[in-house]
């Protein structure tokens, strides 16, 4: 029969209806699909030895004749044991299998076999325990005496079955079209696509397996990069308001900065300058401001906003939660309007700030915050009477029409997900495909992602990094508390509260279950408020509370009416309570290092020495290693790097949400490969943005972006 990549699996030899169903379930419909079902690791059975030479403990392959084979039933352990004696020229060894009595039907006395497995010691000497086996003389070995591919075994598809059925179609790799430009293959010393596919299934040796993996990982990362860079180009084809940073503006900004009660960090200055330079171009900025918790991102945002507002345009500032939006609103009011030494011009020139969330609409005027109906606020925005609109998703959801929006800021951008970010760029701002005037866009994130990684995950953005903390910040003392010392920690907390401080208690993250998370926080709250600290004020905050309720609790905490705030991870994003000095985290092992670091960043924001106490039930070595890293390091970027090493890239917030495909995800810790793919993609896009000379690559990219749901 004429086999091709398109041949439906039901037409392949030896695949019955039951297996067709199983394969369909995992999305394998054609021979080509089956060919692209890759193994995730190999059993190294490549060492073949004479039986007389095998050693205890090694994984080895031997070949010989079956001189005896029989099933034995052990009555005590109710187990079926198959025992065989295998002999070669010089030696003999016993092989033992458990609960596979059917083996005797395949492996008959006198047959020549190849066996691979671990050599163990049993009563009468060395033996092979549960070895892989195959009859000799049936051509190339498949399950023994080589690097044997191991596939994810889902839907009852065993690796053994997959190996046997992929082997006969692996020659179809020749039909797979090469899509990478020849010079890239040459420069990067890559396997041809067909060779990579052949070798990924049945590698000749370790090195070739590595090369095959590298080629396939290169492909995915390269396609991601191509996509990101072309998105960037596309974005830059739009127009944006060009804002000249003239002398007058420069003076105003300088006055504003001088009016602040502190000096900007160098990193803040550089980042603000990056942004001001971007504004001067007539194409839209798309920049990510990455900075550790407390590095002062908000201020960079406000300085940039001021540049735009003083040039006569509107600014939108979006945050992922109401609490955070309110805080930014308050911060904007405080910085722009409060009686600082060099107040901005009053009257005509005054900055008008408004807040719009799902539950409220307010604006600031003449020294006070006023309620206003949503409808009236929307009118004010449309007629240009509001300069800075701070808010939540409402900014996307409500039909907000600006008079002349020139700059949008998105805080904690990773919280919004790819879809919403796209929506910010398109719907909110009224941008469709094609040339338009769009606002400059600044995204901010406090989940530091190492730079190389950011180049992939946020490869469509320019990057500014706040890698420096404002001066005079104290180091937070972080301690892992043994369960036996819980009481001591509780007493310590009581002491802190006596001194006037406040405390956060974070309850463990419970996977995929808001309900359980809320319950555990509620139980913790009951315990603390009724038993441990019945004489103190304990508050509770969780994701199932209404925005108004959350606000009330936060307000109480800010006003010091609450001493101890028990919360789920909703507390995470940038809340600023300078009086809080203890962060206690239950179930610390459940969180990523970067996230723990974020929690820790909730304290130590004022003048008081602050503490972070970690509790965990986990006794695993990995947990210990991770929490030690947190104790040692106070640098979010370093911690993210550690998490990357220990738990892999999928655990980094922001990466997980990126929608990257598996191989690319797995390769994210390979900085070298990321660099290579980035460079090649940049070169290619610079030379041929539309990929018109590489139709096969263009085609592949199109399919790829569909598959991974970038679009
Ligand atoms: P984050 O980067 O986590 O969003 P914020 O912008 O909330 O941090 O800043 C944390 C606190 O530090 C705020 O109270 C802010 O006013 C203050 N801050 C910002 N920049 C500086 C600076 N250069 N020196 C001292 N304090 C600063
Ligand atoms: Mg912040």
């Amino acid at each position: 029969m004429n086999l091709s990549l398109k041949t439906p699996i039901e037409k392949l030899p030896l695949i019955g209806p039951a297996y067709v169903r199983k394969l369909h379930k995992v999305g394998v419909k054609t021979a080509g699909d089956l060919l692209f079902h890759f193994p995730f690791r190999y059993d190294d059975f490549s060492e073949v030895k004479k039986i007389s030479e095998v050693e205890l403990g090694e994984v080895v392959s031997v070949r010989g004749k079956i001189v005896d084979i029989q099933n034995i039933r052990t009555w005590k352990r109710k187990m079926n044991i198959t025992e065989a004696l295998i002999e070669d020229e010089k030696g003999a060894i016993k092989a033992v299998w458990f609960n596979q009595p059917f083996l005797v039907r395949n492996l008959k006395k006198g047959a020549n076999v190849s066996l691979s497995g671990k050599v163990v010691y049993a009563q009468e000497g060395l033996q092979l325990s549960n070895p892989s086996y195959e009859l000799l003389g049936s051509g190339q070995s498949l399950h023994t005496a080589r690097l044997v591919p191991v596939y994810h075994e889902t839907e009852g598809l065993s690796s053994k079955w997959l190996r046997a059925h992929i082997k006969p179609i692996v020659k179809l790799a020749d039909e797979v079209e090469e899509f990478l430009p020849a010079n890239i293959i040459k420069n990067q010393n890559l396997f041809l696509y067909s060779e990579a596919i052949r070798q990924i299934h049945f590698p000749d040796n370790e090195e070739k397996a590595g090369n095959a993996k590298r080629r396939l990982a290169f492909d995915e990362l390269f396609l991601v990069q191509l996509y990101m860079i072309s998105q960037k180009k596309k974005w830059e084809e739009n127009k944006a308001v060009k804002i000249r940073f003239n002398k007058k503006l420069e003076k105003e900004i300088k006055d504003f900065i001088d009016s602040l009660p502190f000096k900007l960090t160098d990193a803040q200055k550089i980042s603000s300058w990056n942004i001001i330079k971007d504004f001067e171009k007539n194409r839209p900025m798309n920049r990510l401001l990455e900075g550790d918790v407390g590095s002062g991102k908000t201020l960079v945002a406000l300085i940039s906003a001021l540049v735009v507002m003083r040039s006569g345009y509107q600014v939108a500032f979006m945050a992922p939660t109401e609490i955070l939006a309110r805080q930014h609103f308050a911060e904007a009011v405080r910085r722009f309007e409060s009686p600082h030494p060099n107040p901005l011009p009053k009257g005509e020139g005054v900055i008008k700030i408004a807040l719009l969330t799902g539950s409220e609409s307010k604006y600031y005027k003449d020294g006070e915050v006023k309620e206003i109906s949503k409808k009236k606020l929307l009118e004010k925005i449309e007629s240009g009477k509001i300069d800075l609109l701070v808010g939540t998703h409402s900014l996307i959801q409500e039909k907000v029409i600006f008079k002349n929006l020139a700059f949008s800021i998105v805080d904690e951008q990773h919280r919004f997900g790819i879809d919403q970010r796209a929506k910010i760029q398109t719907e909110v701002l009224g941008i469709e495909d094609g040339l338009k005037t769009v606002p400059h866009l600044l995204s901010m994130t406090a989940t530091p992602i190492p730079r190389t990684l950011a180049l992939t995950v946020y490869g469509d953005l320019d990057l500014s990094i706040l890698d420096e903390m404002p001066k005079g910040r104290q180091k937070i003392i972080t301690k892992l508390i043994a369960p036996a010392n819980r009481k001591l920690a509780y007493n310590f907390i009581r002491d802190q509260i006596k001194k006037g401080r406040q405390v956060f208690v974070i309850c463990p993250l419970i996977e995929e279950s808001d309900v359980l998370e809320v319950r555990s926080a509620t139980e913790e709250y009951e315990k603390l408020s009724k038993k441990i600290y019945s004489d103190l004020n304990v508050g509770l905050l969780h994701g199932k509370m209404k925005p108004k309720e959350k606000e009330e609790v936060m307000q109480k905490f800010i006003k010091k009416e609450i001493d101890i705030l028990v919360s789920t991870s909703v507390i995470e994003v940038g809340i600023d309570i300078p009086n809080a000095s203890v962060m206690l985290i239950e179930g610390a092992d459940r969180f990523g290092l970067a996230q723990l670091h974020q929690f820790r960043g909730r304290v130590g924001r004022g003048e008081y020495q602050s503490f972070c106490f970690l509790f965990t039930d986990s006794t695993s070595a990995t947990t210990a290693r991770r929490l030690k890293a947190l104790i040692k390091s106070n640098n979010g970027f370093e911690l993210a790097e550690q998490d990357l090493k220990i738990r892999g890239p999928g655990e980094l917030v922001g990466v997980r949400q990126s929608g990257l495909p598996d191989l690319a995800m797995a390769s994210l810790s390979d900085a070298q490969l990321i660099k290579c793919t980035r460079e090649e993609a940049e070169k290619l896009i610079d030379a041929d943005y539309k990929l018109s000379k590489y139709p096969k690559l263009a085609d592949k990219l199109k399919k790829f972006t569909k598959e991974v749901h970038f679009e």
Side-chain angles (χ1 to χ4, degrees):
M1 124 177 205
N2 223 345
L3 198 60
S4 85
L5 291 167
K6 297 219 165 67
T7 307
I9 44 167
E10 47 269 46
K11 297 254 170 72
L12 294 176
L14 302 175
I15 299 189
Y19 273 94
V20 167
R21 270 196 303 277
K22 289 178 186 182
L23 288 165
H24 279 185
K25 266 201 186 150
V26 294
V28 173
K29 302 232 156 86
T30 63
D33 294 339
L34 190 56
L35 186 63
F36 280 85
H37 194 77
F38 297 150
F40 70 101
R41 68 172 183 91
Y42 305 93
D43 277 330
D44 188 355
F45 294 152
S46 52
E47 189 175 17
V48 183
K49 276 193 169 178
K50 294 279 171 234
I51 290 176
S52 55
E53 289 163 3
V54 304
E55 285 165 31
L56 179 65
E58 70 181 346
V59 172
V60 75
S61 298
V62 299
R63 292 182 176 133
K65 185 186 283 221
I66 303 178
V67 286
D68 192 18
I69 183 161
Q70 56 180 324
N71 282 332
I72 303 167
R73 185 157 169 90
T74 63
W75 291 107
K76 253 195 217 154
R77 291 162 66 197
K78 296 241 162 39
M79 226 194 301
N80 264 306
I81 295 181
T82 309
E83 274 190 5
L85 190 66
I86 318 294
E87 198 178 70
D88 66 5
E89 305 93 76
K90 279 198 193 149
I93 192 166
K94 202 193 241 184
V96 176
W97 292 273
F98 301 97
N99 286 330
Q100 302 185 52
F102 52 86
L103 282 183
V104 296
R105 272 181 275 149
N106 285 326
L107 303 177
K108 296 231 156 77
K109 207 164 157 174
N112 282 309
V113 289
S114 173
L115 302 179
S116 297
K118 189 159 181 173
V119 182
V120 299
Y121 188 81
Q123 284 124 336
E124 312 98 72
L126 297 183
Q127 64 180 40
L128 283 165
S129 164
N130 253 338
S132 290
Y133 58 88
E134 65 196 310
L135 291 171
L136 282 177
S138 53
Q140 268 183 322
S141 58
L142 202 55
H143 310 297
T144 64
R146 60 169 303 134
L147 280 178
V148 175
V150 180
Y151 299 84
H152 283 295
E153 306 200 333
T154 48
E155 299 294 338
L157 291 161
S158 71
S159 279
K160 190 158 186 171
W161 190 93
L162 285 163
R163 281 196 287 274
H165 289 84
I166 290 175
K167 185 72 188 177
I169 61 159
V170 92
K171 57 177 183 274
L172 288 177
D174 291 338
E175 280 183 35
V176 173
E177 269 190 322
E178 183 57 65
F179 62 91
L180 277 189
N183 66 324
I184 294 184
I185 294 179
K186 192 157 158 278
N187 286 348
Q188 299 294 337
N189 218 346
L190 294 172
F191 262 5
L192 290 176
Y193 200 25
S194 52
E195 180 69 1
I197 292 167
R198 255 194 309 272
Q199 293 287 336
I200 198 83
H201 288 294
F202 300 103
D204 295 340
N205 52 44
E206 199 96 37
E207 189 191 343
K208 289 197 176 175
N211 279 333
K213 247 192 199 152
R214 179 163 184 274
R215 159 71 208 242
L216 297 170
F218 184 97
D219 288 353
E220 288 203 346
L221 283 176
F222 178 69
L223 291 168
V224 172
Q225 299 288 8
L226 274 185
Y227 173 75
M228 292 294 177
I229 298 169
S230 54
Q231 283 303 100
K232 188 165 184 231
K233 288 261 174 195
K234 203 158 139 196
W235 174 251
E236 286 170 358
E237 278 179 1
N238 292 303
K239 286 213 161 34
V241 175
K242 183 169 173 167
I243 292 163
R244 262 182 235 288
F245 197 59
N246 57 29
K247 283 275 170 282
K248 183 168 159 277
L249 193 51
E250 192 179 331
K251 180 167 186 312
E252 277 186 10
I253 297 301
K254 201 174 163 297
D255 286 349
F256 172 71
I257 291 171
D258 287 344
S259 78
L260 296 170
F262 43 69
K263 277 207 160 61
L264 292 188
T265 64
D266 286 345
Q268 282 174 317
K269 282 185 208 160
I270 293 168
S271 300
S272 307
W273 191 243
N274 289 154
I275 295 166
I276 288 169
K277 283 281 141 197
D278 284 350
F279 287 158
E280 288 198 312
K281 296 170 191 149
N282 61 357
R283 57 179 177 71
M285 168 172 83
N286 194 7
R287 183 170 287 279
L288 178 68
L289 181 61
E290 237 198 302
D292 219 333
V293 180
S295 58
K297 293 182 290 294
T298 319
L299 198 63
V300 173
L302 291 181
I303 291 169
S304 344
L306 190 58
V307 171
V308 174
M309 295 186 293
R310 302 308 292 175
S311 306
Y313 298 95
Q314 289 172 302
V315 176
F317 191 165
M318 194 161 102
T321 63
E322 301 211 349
I323 293 177
L324 208 53
R326 282 183 206 116
Q327 191 176 295
H328 288 332
F329 175 68
E331 173 98 353
V333 167
R334 179 162 74 232
R335 299 289 174 225
F336 291 142
E337 295 285 66
S338 69
H340 48 67
N342 292 301
L344 294 162
K346 293 280 173 205
E348 268 309 289
V350 79
I351 301 282
K352 290 168 296 275
I353 309 166
L355 175 69
L356 178 67
T357 70
S359 63
E360 66 194 326
S361 42
K362 290 178 179 169
Y363 76 118
Y364 178 84
K365 202 184 159 208
D366 302 331
E368 61 178 314
V369 175
K370 294 180 180 168
E371 301 272 347
I372 181 174
S373 75
K374 206 160 266 182
K375 186 162 167 285
K376 284 232 171 78
L377 181 58
L378 290 176
E379 280 167 19
K380 274 183 182 289
I381 297 164
E382 187 164 5
S383 62
K385 291 203 178 92
I386 297 296
D387 300 306
L388 175 61
L389 177 63
V390 183
T392 53
H393 302 80
S394 299
L395 267 54
I396 328 182
Q397 279 147 11
E398 311 275 342
K399 292 264 170 281
V400 182
I401 301 167
F402 290 89
K403 182 174 175 230
N404 59 2
L405 180 69
F407 180 31
S408 292
I409 304 162
V410 182
D411 193 18
E412 303 292 344
Q413 60 91 35
H414 67 273
R415 287 238 155 180
F416 286 95
I418 287 201
D419 290 355
Q420 282 174 320
R421 276 199 280 152
K423 206 167 166 188
I424 294 163
Q425 293 189 354
T426 54
E427 276 175 42
V428 204
L429 313 177
I431 306 157
E432 289 142 33
D433 261 354
L435 292 176
K436 289 232 168 166
T437 297
V438 305
H440 296 285
L441 186 61
L442 177 68
S443 312
M444 306 199 282
T445 180
T447 54
I449 292 178
R451 188 178 270 274
T452 45
L453 233 164
L455 276 181
T456 313
V457 182
Y458 303 130
D460 52 340
L461 310 173
D462 289 314
L463 202 58
S464 287
I465 295 186
L466 294 183
D467 51 3
E468 175 189 6
M469 284 299 195
K471 286 227 164 47
R473 286 273 155 86
Q474 289 172 2
K475 195 169 152 63
I476 298 159
I477 296 172
T478 306
K479 282 202 150 68
L480 182 60
I481 311 286
N485 290 336
R486 183 174 279 273
K487 242 194 143 151
L488 287 178
Y490 282 160
N491 289 342
F492 183 88
I493 284 175
R494 183 175 285 283
D495 256 18
Q496 286 285 306
I497 293 170
K498 259 191 208 144
K499 288 183 185 157
R501 301 291 79 73
Q502 287 163 287
V503 174
F504 289 104
V505 174
I506 304 287
C507 296
L509 183 76
I510 296 171
E511 237 165 292
E512 313 285 335
S513 173
D514 284 353
V515 180
L516 288 182
E517 201 167 297
V518 169
R519 191 192 299 161
S520 97
T522 310
E523 280 167 10
E524 188 67 25
Y525 165 76
E526 297 282 321
K527 177 181 117 188
L528 294 180
S529 63
K530 299 218 168 106
K531 294 203 182 115
I532 318 272
Y533 300 116
S534 55
D535 53 327
L536 299 176
N537 296 312
V538 183
L540 174 66
L541 190 74
H542 61 65
K544 279 277 178 311
M545 289 163 67
K546 296 208 178 72
K548 264 237 149 34
E549 297 169 337
K550 282 194 217 162
E551 166 74 1
E552 275 164 28
V553 173
M554 278 324 286
Q555 280 308 335
K556 276 190 181 167
F557 198 52
I558 290 165
K559 286 194 215 140
K560 302 189 195 172
E561 288 165 17
I562 289 175
D563 304 307
I564 300 173
L565 183 58
V566 178
S567 173
T568 58
S569 56
V570 292
I571 200 81
E572 177 195 3
V573 278
I575 301 160
D576 205 8
I577 315 271
N579 189 50
S581 68
V582 181
M583 167 61 65
L584 187 155
I585 304 170
E586 299 282 352
D589 53 291
R590 314 265 183 101
F591 299 101
L593 283 180
Q595 203 181 5
L596 288 169
H597 179 63
Q598 274 211 327
F599 291 141
R600 178 168 62 181
R602 298 294 122 245
V603 297
R605 293 171 85 102
E607 60 200 279
Y608 312 106
Q609 175 60 57
S610 297
F611 305 85
C612 177
F613 296 150
L614 309 168
F615 282 103
T616 175
D617 300 331
S618 161
T619 50
S620 91
T622 316
T623 300
R625 197 146 59 100
R626 291 177 60 242
L627 297 183
K628 259 195 201 127
L630 184 76
I631 291 165
K632 257 179 77 183
S633 173
N634 226 340
N635 178 321
F637 286 93
E638 241 172 67
L639 289 169
E641 203 93 55
Q642 291 265 359
D643 243 0
L644 185 63
K645 277 199 206 114
I646 304 174
R647 300 213 301 181
E651 293 296 328
L652 289 181
V653 182
V655 175
R656 204 172 22 211
Q657 289 90 334
S658 66
L660 287 185
D662 291 354
L663 260 176
M665 191 70 105
S667 316
L668 283 178
S669 16
D670 189 343
Q672 190 56 34
L673 193 64
I674 291 180
K675 195 164 156 270
C676 293
T677 52
R678 180 76 183 181
E679 281 168 8
E680 291 293 355
E682 271 171 354
K683 259 195 280 177
L684 195 65
I685 296 275
D686 276 347
D688 182 4
Y689 161 34
K690 297 250 140 96
L691 301 179
S692 50
K693 277 194 230 117
Y694 306 98
K696 280 180 198 150
L697 179 58
D699 203 43
K700 182 87 182 171
L701 180 60
K702 216 162 137 192
K703 282 197 197 122
F704 179 77
T705 43
K706 271 221 186 89
E707 268 167 31
V708 302
H709 311 296
F710 279 146
E711 290 182 329

